[in-house]
Amino acid sequence: MFSQLRNISDWKDLIRNLVLRNLRIRYKGSTLGFFWTMISPLFMMVIYFVFITLLKIPIDLPQLLVGILVWQFFVMCLSDSVNAITGYPSLIKRTYSPKYVFPLSMVLANLVNFLLSLVVLVVFLFIYTIVTPSYHLVIGPGLLLLPLIVLLQTALILGLSNFFSCLNVYFKDIEHIMSIILLAWFFLSPIMYPLNLVREKTGAIGPWVFNLYIINPMASIVTCYRYAFLGIPVPFSPFFFLSLLLSPVILIAGTLIFLKKEPYFADEL
Amino acid sequence: MNVIQVKNLGKKFRLRHAKGQSLKATLIDRILHRETRDDFWALKNISFSIGEGETIGVIGPNGSGKTTLLSILARTMVPTIGSLEVRGQVSCLLELGAGFHPDLTGRENIFLNAAIMGIPRSVIEEKFDRIVEFSGLGQFIETPLRFYSSGMSVRLGFSVAVAADPEILLVDEVLSVGDEAFQKKSGERMREFKSRGKTIVVVSHDMNLIRNFCDQVIYLRAGEVVRQGTTDQVINRYIEDVQAQLIQGGAGLGVTHEWGSREVEIKSVTLTDGRGKPTANLRAGDDLNVTIDFFSKERIEYPVFGFAIHDADRVLCFGSNTQIGDYRIPSIEGWGRLRFRLASLPLLTGDYYLSLSIHSQDHLTNYHRQEYFYPFTVLSSFRGEGVFSIPVTWMMGEQEALNAKSRFDPKTSGED
C-alpha cells in the first residue's frame, strides 16, 4: 500500500521547492519579509504579557503561550489542508508528480514557522523569568524530549491533513465544517487552561471523564510541550500514553486513505 | 520498438450535477441506496501503439476525449479498464506553466516548475541560461510573474518544459499560443525534437499543423477511434465528417450572429459547387455558387446585398456587395432570389465562414445580417501559409521556367 511512497527521494527537490514557495509567498512583498515569522509571535507574546499583567488576570502566562503556539501550528495546518489538493487543480490534473507532496510540503512549511516561533518562545521565557521575580522557570531534562514531541505532533497533523485534503476533493462542505471542528477542538484541548483544572473540575463526576478528555491527542501533546518547556508534570495514566500512540496511528490511517484515493483526484477536480 | 502501447483502454467518469457533492446529499443517497451518478465513458476501447521516433496527431471534435487520452498517457489520470505501457521519460506540454505562482519571480518559478516536472535541480542549473535565453525574457527573469503578460508566462512555461529533454513529448494545442515570433521558435524546437528521433503526441485542431508535422493520426469521436492511419487519409475523413455536420446546420465558430430590422429577411441560402451540387465541401479552384431566397415585407428601393468570407481565425479573406460591384437593384418586394458566383476559389485548405447582409444604400439601415452563418471547408492541394494560394514558379539563376505549370490550375481542377 505504501509502495507509492517508495520513490519519495526522487521528489525531494519538489518537496523542498514547494516548502520554499509556501514560505516565500506568505510574506512576499512586505519589507521585513521572512522576519515576520519571528516578529508576529513575539508581538503576540508581548501583547498577552502586557494585558494579562495590567488586568491581573489569574492565568499562568508561560503555560498559555506554549498552548497557543502549539495550537497555532495545528490550526494553521488543518485550515490549509482542505485546500492542499483542491487549491491546485492545474497541478493535480496536468502534472505527473505524486500528490502527497502537496499536503506534506504545506505541513513542513508550517513546521518551519512553528520551530522559529519556538525559538522566540525560549527567548521570551528567558526574559520573562528575569522581569518576573516570582516566576521560576524549571529547565529540566524534558527539553531533550522536545524533538520527539514535535515529531509526534507533526505526525498527527500530517495524518489529519492527508485525510482532510483528500476528503475535501469529494465533499466540498469540509471547508466550512473545518472551522467548527477546530473551534470545538480548541476548547476540548488544554490551551487556555491548565490540564490540572480539568482533573479538578471533573473529579466529582468520575475519573472516566478525565480519561476520555486525555484521549484527545492534542491534549496529551500540549501537556508534553508544557513538560518540556516548563517542567509541568504529565499525568501517568494509561490513557495518556494511549493518546500519544494515537498520533502515529492517525498518520498511517490518514496517509493510507490519501494514497488509496490519490489516483482519482484528477477525475474529480 | 513501441514506446507507447495502449490496449482496450477505457476511461469512465462519473457525471454529477455539481462536482464535489455536499456531504448531506451523499449521506442521504448512500443510506437510501439511490443512484444519482451517471456513468460517462470518455474513452472506449482504445488500442494503438506508437513506435519510437514517431509523431502522432490526435484529432477530433471538442469533447471527443483527446485531452483525457493525453492525460492518461501523461499518467495524471488512471484508465478505468485496459492497459497502458509507456517506456521512457515523458514531458507534457498539457498546460504550460501549471504551478507557476504569480508572487514568485521568473527565476524562482523556473526551479519550482522544473521540480514539479521531476527535472533534477542540477539539470536546471546547468540549463538555466539557455532557458532564459529561449524564453526571451531577459532582465524580467527577476520580476515576479504577476507583472508578466500572458504571452511571457507561456514562453517561460514552454522553455522549461522543453528543457527537460524528454524521450516522449505530449503536446496539447500549445503551439498556437504566444506571438508569431515565439510560435515560430517553438515550432522549430518541435521540429528539432522530431529530427532527433523523439516520440511526439500532438493534440490539435489545426489541420495544417497536423498535416505538416505528423506521420500518423488518430481520429477520436465521442471517445472512440473513428479512424487511425496515415495523416492525409485520416484528415480527409475528419474534414468530410465535419462538413457533413456543418451542412446539417452545425454550430461552427460559435460566434454566429443574426440581426437586423427585418423589413427584408433572408429565408434560405444554398451553397453549391461548380456542378450545381449542394455542398459545403469545396475544392480550391472550384466555383462557389450562393443562392439567397429572401422575402421583403414592403417595397424597398435600391437595397444592397453583401457577403464576406472569414477564415477560422475570423480573419476577413474577402468581401463585396452589389454596390461595390455596380450591380444596381432598383427595388424588391415580396419573394425574390439573388444568386452570385465566386469563380475558382483561390483559398488554402481550411474552414471558412460566409456572412451575408442586406442593407440600405446609405448603410444606415441593416435589414438582415447573418454573421459567420454559413460554414464551408476548402481542400486545396496547394500548400503554403496564409489564406490565398497564388501560383508560384521557382527559378534558379538564369534557368528558364521549365515547369511553369503550377500545381494549381483553376480551369482544370474545377471540372474534374
Side-chain angles (χ1 to χ4, degrees):
Chain A
M1 197 65 217
F2 285 104
S3 60
Q4 286 150 283
L5 294 176
R6 211 178 295 145
N7 59 354
I8 191 164
S9 61
D10 295 351
W11 296 97
K12 60 179 189 296
D13 258 0
L14 175 58
I15 295 165
R16 198 185 54 166
N17 265 290
L18 287 172
V19 171
L20 281 176
R21 181 194 72 172
N22 284 345
L23 291 175
R24 276 188 187 131
I25 58 179
R26 185 165 297 170
Y27 301 109
K28 199 83 183 181
S30 62
T31 321
L32 292 171
F34 195 66
F35 281 105
W36 277 113
T37 324
M38 317 276 277
I39 298 166
S40 51
L42 181 69
F43 274 111
M44 182 204 80
M45 290 174 202
V46 171
I47 290 166
Y48 270 103
F49 170 73
V50 169
F51 282 95
I52 283 171
T53 315
L54 277 180
L55 300 174
K56 296 195 174 61
I57 298 170
I59 199 163
D60 185 6
L61 184 68
Q63 277 208 51
L64 177 70
L65 292 181
V66 171
I68 286 175
L69 286 186
V70 171
W71 179 256
Q72 270 185 350
F73 176 35
F74 181 78
V75 82
M76 288 291 270
C77 288
L78 260 68
S79 35
D80 285 354
S81 76
V82 288
N83 289 316
I85 295 297
T86 48
Y88 307 99
S90 67
L91 279 179
I92 302 297
K93 279 158 85 171
R94 297 290 181 240
T95 60
Y96 166 65
S97 48
K99 317 300 179 232
Y100 60 78
V101 298
F102 298 108
L104 176 63
S105 57
M106 179 274 297
V107 170
L108 290 179
N110 279 318
L111 175 64
V112 172
N113 282 328
F114 174 59
L115 292 178
L116 287 169
S117 71
L118 287 188
V119 174
V120 178
L121 176 73
V122 170
V123 175
F124 181 86
L125 286 178
F126 188 71
I127 298 168
Y128 180 76
T129 42
I130 294 170
V131 298
T132 320
S134 61
Y135 189 79
H136 297 287
L137 186 61
V138 192
I139 295 176
L143 213 51
L144 296 173
L145 286 173
L146 191 62
L148 191 68
I149 303 166
V150 173
L151 203 68
L152 211 60
Q153 191 191 5
T154 309
L156 170 72
I157 287 173
L158 187 58
L160 290 172
S161 293
N162 280 339
F163 176 69
F164 284 117
S165 65
C166 169
L167 200 62
N168 197 45
V169 172
Y170 295 92
F171 309 109
K172 289 284 164 1
D173 302 41
I174 296 304
E175 244 171 287
H176 310 290
I177 297 171
M178 196 47 130
S179 57
I180 302 165
I181 294 176
L182 286 172
L183 187 66
W185 206 326
F186 176 74
F187 285 107
L188 283 172
S189 308
I191 314 296
M192 302 295 280
Y193 50 87
L195 188 67
N196 275 341
L197 191 80
V198 183
R199 205 200 289 269
E200 286 164 18
K201 300 279 180 192
T202 60
I205 311 168
W208 62 272
V209 183
F210 182 76
N211 290 341
L212 199 65
Y213 177 90
I214 200 76
I215 280 285
N216 166 13
M218 272 310 276
S220 58
I221 284 169
V222 170
T223 308
C224 284
Y225 275 108
R226 282 178 177 157
Y227 168 70
F229 282 110
L230 312 169
I232 293 162
V234 297
F236 279 91
S237 101
F239 292 94
F240 172 74
F241 293 104
L242 190 71
S243 171
L244 290 179
L245 219 62
L246 217 52
S247 292
V249 171
I250 287 173
L251 174 66
I252 292 167
T255 309
L256 271 177
I257 292 168
F258 184 91
L259 292 177
K260 189 162 177 262
K261 287 291 179 187
E262 175 184 325
Y264 309 105
F265 287 166
D267 299 1
E268 300 288 335
L269 293 177
Chain B
M1 192 186 80
N2 287 336
V3 287
I4 297 177
Q5 181 93 44
V6 173
K7 260 191 207 147
N8 306 325
L9 184 140
K11 177 71 186 174
K12 186 170 75 174
F13 285 114
R14 288 158 173 169
L15 284 185
R16 303 182 200 158
H17 292 295
K19 282 192 171 181
Q21 209 173 2
S22 77
L23 195 59
K24 191 180 102 188
T26 305
L27 285 178
I28 291 172
D29 292 341
R30 288 273 160 84
I31 292 164
L32 299 178
H33 296 287
R34 268 204 315 226
E35 186 64 58
T36 54
R37 291 159 156 186
D38 291 331
D39 287 343
F40 163 72
W41 287 90
L43 290 173
K44 283 173 268 189
N45 202 22
I46 308 277
S47 297
F48 62 87
S49 57
I50 300 175
E52 195 176 355
E54 280 186 322
T55 304
I56 306 293
V58 181
I59 59 174
N62 288 331
S64 57
K66 301 187 296 289
T67 302
T68 306
L69 180 61
L70 223 55
S71 299
I72 289 174
L73 293 182
R75 285 176 285 187
T76 62
M77 277 186 186
V78 285
T80 313
I81 53 163
S83 71
L84 164 77
E85 264 180 72
V86 179
R87 286 196 207 111
Q89 194 209 332
V90 179
S91 185
C92 180
L93 306 190
L94 280 170
E95 196 165 290
L96 288 175
F100 274 173
H101 197 285
D103 282 333
L104 300 178
T105 67
R107 176 190 296 274
E108 289 163 341
N109 269 308
I110 288 178
F111 283 103
L112 176 62
N113 210 33
I116 287 165
M117 292 191 296
I119 307 170
R121 192 180 174 84
S122 55
V123 174
I124 285 301
E125 268 166 358
E126 193 185 300
K127 294 185 174 172
F128 186 80
D129 292 336
R130 267 173 51 204
I131 295 172
V132 177
E133 198 208 311
F134 190 81
S135 69
L137 285 169
Q139 83 264 27
F140 292 112
I141 206 69
E142 304 296 346
T143 309
L145 228 67
R146 64 166 69 253
F147 301 111
Y148 283 26
S149 68
S150 58
M152 285 160 87
S153 308
V154 167
R155 264 145 61 192
L156 190 64
F158 184 84
S159 309
V160 182
V162 293
D165 202 25
E167 280 133 33
I168 301 167
L169 194 64
L170 307 176
V171 187
D172 189 1
E173 292 282 9
V174 285
L175 294 178
S176 51
V177 291
D179 58 16
E180 213 168 300
F182 189 77
Q183 262 185 47
K184 217 171 166 179
K185 224 160 130 186
S186 53
E188 277 164 22
R189 193 66 200 256
M190 298 289 296
R191 280 194 185 85
E192 184 213 315
F193 264 103
K194 187 175 158 72
S195 66
R196 277 164 51 208
K198 307 278 185 183
T199 308
I200 306 174
V201 182
V202 188
V203 166
S204 185
H205 288 286
D206 183 348
M207 290 304 135
N208 275 326
L209 178 114
I210 299 275
R211 202 187 286 276
N212 289 328
F213 202 62
C214 301
D215 314 316
Q216 298 266 319
V217 174
I218 297 168
Y219 167 18
L220 289 179
R221 193 177 54 204
E224 285 175 292
V225 175
V226 177
R227 185 154 185 188
Q228 64 189 93
T230 57
T231 305
D232 280 325
Q233 283 178 356
V234 180
I235 288 186
N236 288 347
R237 169 69 194 273
Y238 175 63
I239 289 176
E240 278 169 28
D241 284 3
V242 170
Q243 285 158 352
Q245 261 179 0
L246 290 180
I247 291 168
Q248 291 162 16
L253 276 182
V255 292
T256 310
H257 183 44
E258 190 173 20
W259 56 287
S261 55
R262 305 286 179 106
E263 284 91 345
V264 190
E265 269 187 42
I266 297 168
K267 290 294 187 185
S268 88
V269 171
T270 321
L271 308 188
T272 52
D273 63 11
R275 284 161 292 177
K277 181 183 148 204
T279 183
N281 171 7
L282 295 145
R283 290 188 164 273
D286 200 353
D287 292 351
L288 169 62
N289 294 302
V290 181
T291 306
I292 306 168
D293 286 310
F294 58 86
F295 181 78
S296 185
K297 286 176 198 151
E298 54 196 69
R299 182 184 163 86
I300 289 171
E301 300 200 323
Y302 303 115
V304 177
F305 287 73
F307 74 92
I309 293 171
H310 290 83
D311 72 4
D313 298 327
R314 288 197 256 165
V315 172
L316 175 63
C317 303
F318 184 62
S320 189
N321 64 36
T322 52
Q323 199 174 26
I324 300 170
D326 264 337
Y327 186 81
R328 220 166 135 87
I329 303 164
S331 71
I332 51 172
E333 193 174 1
W335 285 96
R337 171 177 282 189
L338 181 85
R339 287 180 296 158
F340 62 92
R341 169 180 302 166
L342 298 168
S344 53
L345 287 177
L347 297 166
L348 288 175
T349 302
D351 296 332
Y352 297 89
Y353 296 86
L354 178 71
S355 305
L356 295 174
S357 69
I358 307 175
H359 54 82
S360 63
Q361 202 178 8
D362 55 8
H363 290 247
L364 292 178
T365 314
N366 287 294
Y367 301 123
H368 196 178
R369 297 192 84 110
Q370 295 181 322
E371 323 257 12
Y372 307 103
F373 224 73
Y374 303 98
F376 62 96
T377 313
V378 174
L379 263 181
S380 169
S381 56
F382 206 89
R383 292 200 189 165
E385 291 188 29
V387 180
F388 292 107
S389 55
I390 299 168
V392 188
T393 312
W394 302 95
M395 283 156 284
M396 177 76 89
E398 296 305 308
Q399 181 193 351
E400 281 291 309
L402 291 174
N403 184 15
K405 186 177 175 285
S406 72
R407 292 177 63 191
F408 164 58
D409 190 340
K411 292 202 177 59
T412 52
S413 52
E415 308 298 323
D416 62 23

